[in-house]
Amino acid sequence: PTPSPTPEPLAAMVNGEPITLVEFTAELERFQAARQALPGAPLAPGVDLSTDAGVQAFVLDELVNQRLFAQAAYAAGFILTPETLQARQDQISAELGGAQALQDYLAANQYTPQAFQAALARSIAATWMRDQVLASTPTTAEQIHARQILLYNQDQADQILAQLRSGKDFTTLAYQYDPVTGGDLGWFPRGYLLEPAIEESAFKLLPGAYTEVISTRLGYHILFVIAREPDHLLDPDPLLVVQQQALQTWLLDQKSIANIQLLLP
């Protein structure tokens, strides 16, 4: 009898769709090469790439995420025609400098033509789904406009707080310590500032009020709330943060209901 074929080793299964070990290994090599080319490139907070296991987990998670986005796209009615796929491949080929340049790129990046087409199809579908999530993300939010006085000495911060309590004008004092902007932080929503303690204190206040001294790894802060609006248009940087949060929330929701098997040894 003809022997049954040996099943292809898998790195993961996502709702019954395989991520092969070959695909994972190639993606891992591409990621490592990109890191060497751009060693200072930022990643999401909390990503630990200090160990091989951490790098592998990150790369596999990114592949799982793309599968979830692409699967959701097709479930939502997305259709990828052969013409669209070919047009995208032609565009990449032109950007690289022609057909031979594309072949060189595939060879240098561990892609067979079939694997590249499959990855390209998934990327197009996943991008479409990401765009749907972002399109439903609000462009306004409850926001505060604040300025701060940032000091690097507890005693000095306490002295400034005492001056404020005695009636000194916050803006005047702020410009003494930041002559350019007067400590203006602009408008920001919840979840935008790097130090949660600052944001938490600020959102407890009404316009015209200032915080106590807030100690963080950056120094000693006193914030003054200039204005507060329940539905203020997001500036580009806060909007980007809100959009990233929306994508992460979407992925967490999908992962909570998906059947994901991680099969790396």
Side-chain angles (χ1 to χ4, degrees):
T2 305
S4 58
T6 304
E8 188 171 8
L10 301 180
M13 291 279 285
V14 183
N15 294 321
E17 183 181 348
I19 298 174
T20 67
L21 195 57
V22 168
E23 180 190 347
F24 165 73
T25 303
E27 186 65 25
L28 185 62
E29 290 184 14
R30 287 190 287 271
F31 178 72
Q32 296 283 38
R35 278 186 77 201
Q36 289 177 355
L38 293 167
L43 284 166
V47 173
D48 178 17
L49 301 180
S50 61
T51 65
D52 288 344
V55 172
Q56 291 181 5
F58 174 77
V59 171
L60 187 57
D61 190 52
E62 288 294 295
L63 288 170
V64 168
N65 291 347
Q66 189 180 55
R67 287 296 198 285
L68 290 171
F69 276 118
Q71 289 171 1
Y74 290 114
F78 173 75
I79 296 172
L80 177 60
T81 65
E83 292 78 14
T84 300
L85 183 59
Q86 186 60 51
R88 180 71 182 108
Q89 183 166 322
D90 292 344
Q91 180 187 356
I92 293 171
S93 177
E95 288 170 355
L96 291 171
Q100 185 57 53
L102 177 61
Q103 295 305 315
D104 294 343
Y105 171 83
L106 298 189
N109 286 278
Q110 318 293 321
Y111 279 120
T112 65
Q114 295 81 6
F116 179 69
Q117 280 226 329
L120 190 57
R122 280 192 300 271
S123 174
I124 293 170
T127 299
W128 182 89
M129 191 64 223
R130 284 190 182 93
D131 289 344
Q132 303 307 301
V133 175
L134 294 179
S136 64
T137 304
T139 55
T140 62
E142 182 187 15
Q143 293 186 72
I144 277 176
H145 182 198
R147 70 171 75 245
Q148 73 167 348
I149 299 172
L150 173 60
L151 303 150
Y152 305 101
N153 176 291
Q154 173 81 63
D155 291 339
Q156 193 177 21
D158 289 340
Q159 289 170 15
I160 293 297
L161 186 62
Q163 290 184 50
L164 290 169
R165 286 174 173 162
S166 70
K168 277 288 182 70
D169 177 62
F170 192 101
T171 302
T172 303
L173 287 171
Y175 270 99
Q176 289 179 17
Y177 293 94
D178 180 358
V180 178
T181 70
D184 194 338
L185 297 175
W187 287 90
F188 56 88
R190 296 178 192 272
Y192 177 65
L193 297 184
L194 293 176
E195 293 294 335
I198 299 176
E199 187 177 286
E200 188 179 333
S201 297
F203 271 92
K204 289 178 179 175
L205 300 179
L206 293 173
Y210 54 82
T211 66
E212 299 290 308
V213 175
I214 307 162
S215 174
T216 76
R217 60 190 172 85
L218 301 175
Y220 300 90
H221 314 251
I222 306 172
L223 261 70
F224 176 80
V225 175
I226 300 168
R228 181 172 184 156
E229 290 184 10
D231 209 29
H232 189 81
L233 188 67
L234 288 158
D235 287 334
D237 283 349
L239 177 61
L240 189 60
V241 171
V242 169
Q243 289 176 333
Q244 290 300 322
Q245 290 170 344
L247 290 173
Q248 289 304 313
T249 299
W250 186 92
L251 280 168
L252 287 172
D253 289 345
Q254 292 297 307
K255 287 176 177 177
S256 71
I257 58 174
N259 181 10
I260 300 172
Q261 298 167 272
L262 304 180
L263 304 171
L264 284 181

